């Protein structure tokens, strides 16, 4: 496990006020939003005096460089292009689609659950999409102008919809997942996620969530690729909800 991942270390105490902090800052002018973001980033990186792990230091500097380029692109009203990687079962990085370039109209950087996300309009899917910042590599600013946000789009509402699964009382849930979900699980819960390989096609994950409609909807959206193993009350509640739609 990547215990030294700077996006999942030294930030646990912040979880309780992340949602409140973001909603209070998401409507600030861009320059104040950038200051808020960089303050959060600086507070969550390891102290360099604690060690000289060049891999960790390189990871930090790469993400800070990506952050700066994203801010530049937003300020200049330009699109960005980048490569994106997945994690295999050993949590090693593997470029998606053999290094294919993603093209995005960047809107904002979002902080949630010890992770940073780049939110913007993804042309391939023709919708607003989020990308985990520490899985982005080789980002460059394009000459093309951004596709503007829709009039009915608000960052606060998007944040509420996408990230509310961790709001409320937390419960430990054990999930059985197909292997292709490893990257999605790391995106949501961090690289120090507890996992165990079950067989050639599945792994188990122990995660902390609120047993809410958002959580059950997330499991349901996997179309059987993810199953709740424990606790029993979570499994039974999910089965009851699914039966209502049959």
């Amino acid at each position: 496990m990547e215990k030294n991942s700077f996006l999942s270390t030294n930030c646990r105490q912040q979880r309780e006020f992340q949602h409140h902090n973001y909603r209070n800052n998401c409507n600030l002018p861009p320059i104040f939003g950038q200051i808020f973001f960089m303050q959060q980033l600086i507070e969550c990186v390891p102290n360099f005096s604690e060690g000289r792990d060049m891999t960790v230091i390189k990871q930090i500097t790469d993400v800070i460089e990506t952050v700066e380029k994203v801010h530049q692109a937003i300020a200049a009203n330009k699109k960005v292009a980048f490569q994106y990687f997945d994690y295999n079962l050993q949590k090693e990085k593997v470029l998606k689609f053999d290094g294919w370039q993603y093209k995005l109209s960047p809107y904002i950087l979002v902080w949630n659950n010890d992770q940073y996300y780049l939110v913007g309009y993804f042309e391939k899917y023709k919708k607003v999409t989020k990308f985990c910042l520490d899985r982005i590599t080789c980002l460059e600013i394009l000459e093309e102008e951004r596709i503007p946000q829709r009039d009915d789009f608000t960052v606060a509402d998007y944040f509420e919809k996408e990230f509310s699964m961790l709001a409320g009382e937390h419960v430990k849930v054990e999930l059985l997942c197909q292997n292709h979900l490893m990257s999605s699980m790391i995106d949501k819960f961090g690289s120090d996620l507890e996992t165990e390989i079950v067989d050639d096609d599945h792994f188990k994950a122990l995660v902390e969530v609120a047993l809410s409609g958002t959580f059950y909807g997330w499991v349901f959206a996997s179309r059987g690729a993810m199953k709740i193993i424990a606790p029993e009350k979570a499994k039974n509640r999910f089965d009851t909800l699914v039966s209502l739609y049959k």
Side-chain angles (χ1 to χ4, degrees):
M1 295 185 184
E2 297 180 63
K3 292 293 184 183
N4 290 327
S5 175
F6 79 94
L7 290 180
S8 58
T9 305
N10 299 334
C11 305
R12 299 302 174 190
Q13 296 87 349
Q14 299 187 41
R15 177 174 289 171
E16 295 303 320
F17 64 82
Q18 288 165 0
H19 179 69
H20 171 76
N21 243 3
Y22 181 75
R23 290 190 66 88
N24 283 349
N25 284 280
C26 63
N27 292 319
L28 290 174
I31 185 62
F32 291 105
Q34 292 174 19
I35 293 171
F36 169 73
F37 179 89
M38 292 306 295
Q39 284 176 338
Q40 292 281 57
L41 179 61
I42 291 169
E43 287 172 4
C44 292
V45 298
N47 189 326
F48 278 19
S49 66
E50 293 176 0
R52 297 183 180 275
D53 187 329
M54 294 309 297
T55 301
V56 174
I57 293 174
K58 179 67 163 58
Q59 185 184 18
I60 294 168
T61 56
D62 284 351
V63 174
I64 290 176
E65 181 180 345
T66 298
V67 168
E68 291 175 346
K69 286 183 177 179
V70 169
H71 285 157
Q72 291 170 11
I74 293 173
N77 197 36
K78 300 295 185 181
K79 295 179 182 178
V80 296
F82 54 86
Q83 294 175 311
Y84 203 59
F85 57 83
D86 271 336
Y87 290 98
N88 59 22
L89 287 180
Q90 287 70 44
K91 298 182 181 177
E92 299 167 332
K93 299 175 181 179
V94 180
L95 282 176
K96 296 192 68 173
F97 308 121
D98 296 322
W100 179 78
Q101 272 200 325
Y102 290 67
K103 187 181 289 187
L104 188 79
S105 294
Y107 293 158
I108 196 166
L109 290 161
V110 174
W111 159 255
N112 186 76
N113 190 36
D114 303 342
Q115 294 280 0
Y116 285 102
Y117 298 88
L118 171 57
V119 177
Y121 185 83
F122 185 34
E123 296 183 25
K124 182 178 180 180
Y125 293 158
K126 293 181 169 48
K127 68 175 185 177
V128 175
T129 307
K130 68 181 186 299
F131 294 90
C132 189
L133 195 65
D134 67 345
R135 287 173 56 198
I136 291 175
T137 186
C138 300
L139 184 140
E140 59 184 62
I141 302 172
L142 303 179
E143 290 300 321
E144 301 174 57
E145 291 194 356
R146 291 187 300 168
I147 296 173
Q149 299 179 23
R150 290 171 44 179
D151 291 340
D152 60 350
F153 174 82
T154 67
V155 175
D157 289 343
Y158 180 83
F159 183 89
E160 186 80 35
K161 178 181 177 182
E162 289 293 313
F163 299 111
S164 61
M165 191 171 69
L166 292 173
E169 181 184 0
H170 289 187
V171 176
K172 289 282 189 179
V173 175
E174 189 173 17
L175 301 168
L176 179 67
C177 308
Q178 293 181 8
N179 288 345
H180 71 269
L181 293 178
M182 178 61 79
S183 293
S184 297
M185 296 296 289
I186 289 177
D187 280 355
K188 284 192 177 293
F189 302 104
S191 59
D192 56 353
L193 167 75
E194 288 187 48
T195 61
E196 177 186 341
I197 297 175
V198 175
D199 54 38
D200 290 342
D201 301 312
H202 300 86
F203 67 93
K204 288 194 297 187
L206 186 64
V207 299
E208 192 173 274
V209 300
L211 297 182
S212 62
T214 303
F215 167 68
Y216 292 123
W218 176 64
V219 175
F220 183 78
S222 74
R223 299 183 179 182
M226 178 189 305
K227 296 181 180 178
I228 300 173
I229 300 175
E232 198 68 22
K233 64 178 181 179
K235 183 178 182 300
N236 292 341
R237 177 58 176 163
F238 179 75
D239 291 342
T240 299
L241 290 172
V242 170
S243 67
L244 297 176
Y245 289 94
K246 289 184 177 179

